[in-house]
Amino acid sequence: MSLAQWLFTVVIGPTWPNTKPLLEVISIRHVTGNTAGLKPSQKRLLERTYQRRVAPDRIISPELARHLAGISREIGRQVGVLVNRRGQIEDVFVGDAHRIYLPDIGRTRAGQSNLRGLRHIHTVFGKDGLHRDDFADLTKLRLDLVVALETRDDGQPGKLTTAHINPNAHKAKRTIDHVTSEDYRSIYEVEVDFKELVEEIERELGRQTKARKADGGQTRAVLVGVYDRKQTAQWRLEEMQELATTAGVHIEDVIIQIRPKPDPKLVVGRGKLEEVVLECLDLDIELIIFDHNLNPTQARAVAAFSDLKVIDRTQLILDIFAQHAQSRDGKLQVELAQLKYNLPRLTDLDAGLSRLTGGIGGRGPGETKLEINRRRARDRITKLENEIGALSKQRHLRRRKRQNSGAPIVSVVGYTNAGKSTLLNVLTSSEVLVADQLFATLDPTSRRLRFPMEREAIITDTVGFIRDLPPDLIRAFRATLEELEGADVLLHVVDISDPMRDEKIEAVRALLEELHLAEIPEILIYNKCDLVDSITKRGLCQKDKAVGTSAITREGLADLIGTISQKLWRTNVLDTEENWLDYSQGKLPAEA
């Protein structure tokens, strides 16, 4: 053998058995975890674990089991290893006497139908077996297998417990149902072909992934909320589901937590968030929607913990606005609201080359990519505010022209999806867009409303209100809401069939108060009376001094027209029997 051949054999890899290549001997990998207080000899013994091997078709070898049990008993701590499918040890880590934590192994997902390619083997003391954290790691990290090896008092391995993902339990709600576990009295009883087991699991996962994708391309999400009581949760979750449906998102599952107030960091508790992540992984979902307005710190913390896409209530509403905006005003206002929302949430994910802007003016410390993005966002916000301000002046001129014409102005307000646009269409014989969804109307619409006795008014429909409307949205749509300032009467439309109508009435009035519009005379209209019985309608209208109408059947139009004219001109324009009969039969002036 020549000198070159000898060097290649020793450094790269020898051909004779029981001899290690020099590179492997030199590159000693370190042990992580709770290693404080260990003796140097114990650390060296742990480092030798990297030299162990397991046959590709075996879960664990007797030699590795005895080694782990012996060192674990000696140091009095749990010892864990990550083994790849070739049987090589990739990580060795140490816990305490009761728990062990995995090192960071990268992204949560290895693939929709593939497992991670790693099995987690760790020792336990006594008869504990697998812990809840083991099941969480198994499903969250898509591990091939999790193994708990009992360490006896004499330092020998005892009972063995294994667990793997159950591919047929994707609809299970409890964490324990997501996995299949097996108990063995001894390591010598394990006769499972590990390679064949993993291949079968991945085949089944792949089959179910294709089946779910074939169901449709709609975005799927899990809805999460924190509430102080269940009664509050019910109607808020129903509203969030309506918002999701309007945005084109299908809610696969709803997870709530009852607690006095949201967690300042993760919104929900850590355990509950683990449950949410497990549910997303099992249902092959990559989107979590929170029924809260998350601050930037919470959004980053939840996204980092779950490694999934996280959006809050404001983002969902902004997405709906972006889909429904038609006019230039609406598009500019949506973009402005999105920029103001995203500005404090801009983060620099990779700062390695962030200052290499180059060129004249780019030398020296430079400007980071994050700073550039923020500056551009602020410049765009300033430009949009100027454009919206110019459009606001144009609308102001149009409003002044309408006011100078002498026609009074009636503005329709109310909670979103209360039937405002439908009522406007019926009163004015118009064809404004109507849809059974939230925020179908974003742009203000003005029409002439004809009354008997040659009188007329201008009626304006605006964007619907919603509870806890984010401040950025209010500021962005203030130019649109200015249409309400010159109104002589506000028609407050409420869905009488909504069980949460009282809460929504208060939400609308609170927003009107915030916009300094509470002094304008209001007419409360209970719409959709065709969905309730006559006794309910009569009782609610009398109690709240409201006008009962149905935009579909045209019921109550006479009462509504009479009430509006009484507010505007202190007289009822339906004072003649002929006019009253026309309106009581649902006929408009043009149709009468």
Side-chain angles (χ1 to χ4, degrees):
M1 179 184 294
S2 65
L3 179 61
Q5 291 174 327
W6 180 83
L7 285 173
F8 178 84
T9 302
V10 173
V11 175
I12 303 302
T15 57
W16 57 86
N18 302 323
T19 306
K20 299 293 181 183
L22 184 59
L23 284 180
E24 185 174 341
V25 175
I26 297 174
S27 60
I28 299 177
R29 287 179 283 185
H30 295 288
V31 178
T32 59
N34 183 25
T35 59
L38 296 181
K39 299 177 182 178
S41 60
Q42 294 172 337
K43 291 183 179 180
R44 286 194 296 270
L45 188 58
L46 285 167
E47 289 170 351
R48 292 194 192 106
T49 307
Y50 284 107
Q51 302 174 14
R52 303 285 173 173
R53 295 292 182 271
V54 180
D57 60 343
R58 301 288 301 275
I59 292 178
I60 186 173
S61 66
E63 295 79 13
L64 178 61
R66 288 193 293 267
H67 174 78
L68 293 177
I71 185 62
S72 183
R73 176 56 61 183
E74 180 179 341
I75 66 177
R77 305 174 189 180
Q78 293 186 11
V79 177
V81 294
L82 290 176
V83 187
N84 61 30
R85 293 184 186 175
R86 296 188 301 274
Q88 300 169 329
I89 308 296
E90 292 209 354
D91 281 289
V92 180
F93 41 97
V94 182
D96 55 30
H98 307 287
R99 304 285 282 276
I100 192 167
Y101 297 98
L102 282 171
D104 184 11
I105 58 175
R107 259 187 75 84
T108 297
R109 280 193 185 272
Q112 294 181 343
S113 60
N114 295 329
L115 299 177
R116 174 70 63 173
L118 296 172
R119 71 198 106 154
H120 175 206
I121 303 172
H122 69 90
T123 60
V124 293
F125 297 104
K127 307 290 184 181
D128 291 344
L130 292 171
H131 192 266
R132 182 174 178 268
D133 287 349
D134 293 318
F135 297 133
D137 292 336
L138 175 66
T139 52
K140 179 180 177 182
L141 300 176
R142 312 285 282 188
L143 297 174
D144 291 354
L145 202 71
V146 172
V147 181
L149 178 66
E150 178 190 356
T151 300
R152 299 198 311 232
D153 294 338
D154 58 359
Q156 293 297 314
K159 186 180 74 170
L160 192 77
T161 304
T162 67
H164 62 79
I165 290 177
N166 181 1
N168 297 314
H170 61 280
K171 292 296 184 182
K173 298 301 180 185
R174 294 184 298 127
T175 304
I176 192 66
D177 293 332
H178 299 156
V179 302
T180 298
S181 60
E182 297 287 345
D183 292 323
Y184 303 93
R185 290 180 297 177
S186 168
I187 57 174
Y188 301 103
E189 289 187 0
V190 182
E191 298 180 354
V192 177
D193 189 320
F194 173 72
K195 185 177 180 181
E196 183 178 332
L197 173 65
V198 171
E199 289 176 351
E200 176 61 29
I201 294 173
E202 288 191 333
R203 277 196 299 270
E204 182 62 21
L205 288 173
R207 186 186 66 79
Q208 292 185 2
T209 299
K210 291 180 181 178
R212 285 196 290 270
K213 285 183 177 179
D215 291 341
Q218 192 177 30
T219 304
R220 300 157 63 242
V222 169
L223 177 59
V224 181
V226 177
Y227 310 102
D228 55 354
R229 52 199 177 110
K230 288 186 177 180
Q231 292 80 359
T232 304
Q234 182 178 356
W235 77 276
R236 292 186 60 156
L237 287 173
E238 289 177 357
E239 182 178 276
M240 282 298 295
Q241 288 180 321
E242 288 186 44
L243 284 170
T245 301
T246 304
V249 178
H250 178 68
I251 301 298
E252 288 285 346
D253 196 9
V254 177
I255 298 177
I256 67 171
Q257 186 176 42
I258 304 300
R259 56 187 297 165
K261 58 182 180 179
D263 183 81
K265 181 179 180 182
L266 297 176
V267 188
V268 295
R270 187 182 184 88
K272 180 63 70 172
L273 188 56
E274 286 182 355
E275 179 185 337
V276 173
V277 174
L278 289 175
E279 190 70 9
C280 290
L281 291 173
D282 288 332
L283 297 178
D284 191 24
I285 290 173
E286 296 189 354
L287 176 62
I288 304 175
I289 301 177
F290 279 87
D291 182 21
H292 303 278
N293 295 325
L294 307 183
N295 60 47
T297 302
Q298 290 174 327
R300 284 193 291 268
V302 175
F305 183 92
S306 65
D307 206 9
L308 299 170
K309 183 178 180 181
V310 178
I311 67 173
D312 60 7
R313 187 169 175 273
T314 301
Q315 284 176 287
L316 189 62
I317 295 175
L318 284 172
D319 186 80
I320 296 171
F321 280 20
Q323 293 180 41
H324 292 175
Q326 300 295 329
S327 67
R328 175 171 172 77
D329 291 18
K331 292 178 180 179
L332 290 177
Q333 290 164 353
V334 169
E335 184 181 357
L336 177 61
Q338 289 176 331
L339 285 172
K340 286 187 174 182
Y341 177 84
N342 291 324
L343 181 59
R345 291 165 174 80
L346 290 176
T347 56
D348 197 358
L349 299 180
D350 184 8
L353 301 176
S354 62
R355 293 184 185 271
L356 299 183
T357 54
I360 297 176
R363 299 184 179 91
E367 186 178 22
T368 65
K369 184 67 175 177
L370 176 60
E371 291 166 346
I372 292 174
N373 290 339
R374 286 176 174 169
R375 174 169 51 80
R376 288 175 176 171
R378 284 192 289 265
D379 291 345
R380 182 62 179 166
I381 287 173
T382 302
K383 182 178 179 181
L384 288 174
E385 288 177 339
N386 292 336
E387 291 184 24
I388 292 174
L391 292 173
S392 178
K393 290 180 181 179
Q394 296 176 14
R395 277 195 300 271
H396 178 70
L397 293 175
R398 289 196 295 269
R399 284 198 306 273
R400 183 188 298 176
K401 187 176 180 180
R402 289 198 299 265
Q403 292 170 352
N404 293 337
S405 67
I409 298 175
V410 178
S411 292
V412 184
V413 298
Y415 214 80
T416 180
N417 203 29
K420 301 183 298 298
S421 297
T422 307
L423 187 62
L424 175 71
N425 285 342
V426 171
L427 291 175
T428 61
S429 299
S430 304
E431 295 182 356
V432 176
L433 174 64
V434 172
D436 186 16
Q437 55 184 229
L438 305 183
F439 298 113
T441 302
L442 286 185
D443 303 313
T445 304
S446 297
R447 296 290 185 272
R448 287 188 177 274
L449 175 60
R450 294 182 57 190
F451 291 84
M453 301 171 58
E454 300 299 327
R455 294 186 180 182
E456 63 180 15
I458 297 173
I459 184 168
T460 303
D461 185 20
T462 58
V463 61
F465 294 172
I466 197 169
R467 63 172 174 85
D468 302 330
L469 197 63
D472 286 341
L473 282 179
I474 297 176
R475 285 192 290 269
F477 281 83
R478 183 172 294 278
T480 298
L481 296 174
E482 285 175 358
E483 295 288 339
L484 302 175
E485 294 180 359
D488 297 290
V489 174
L490 296 180
L491 303 184
H492 185 173
V493 183
V494 181
D495 182 357
I496 194 173
S497 64
D498 191 340
M500 305 306 298
R501 55 183 170 269
D502 293 337
E503 288 78 0
K504 292 182 178 181
I505 290 174
E506 292 302 319
V508 171
R509 287 175 175 168
L511 190 53
L512 290 174
E513 183 75 30
E514 184 177 348
L515 296 171
H516 307 291
L517 302 173
E519 301 300 324
I520 300 177
E522 174 193 278
I523 298 175
L524 186 63
I525 302 173
Y526 274 146
N527 196 27
K528 304 185 182 181
C529 285
D530 54 305
L531 301 180
V532 298
D533 58 82
S534 58
I535 298 177
T536 302
K537 169 201 164 184
R538 190 180 306 111
L540 289 173
C541 290
Q542 289 178 355
K543 178 176 72 73
D544 297 328
K545 298 180 180 179
V547 179
T549 64
S550 171
I552 301 298
T553 65
R554 299 193 174 191
E555 174 189 355
L557 284 184
D559 292 334
L560 177 58
I561 292 296
T563 305
I564 295 175
S565 64
Q566 189 70 38
K567 287 281 186 181
L568 294 177
W569 298 293
R570 306 297 181 186
T571 182
N572 191 339
V573 295
L574 302 183
D575 52 359
T576 67
E577 183 178 356
E578 180 182 359
N579 290 337
W580 177 265
L581 286 175
D582 287 338
Y583 273 91
S584 64
Q585 295 172 6
K587 295 180 181 179
L588 301 174
E591 301 169 340

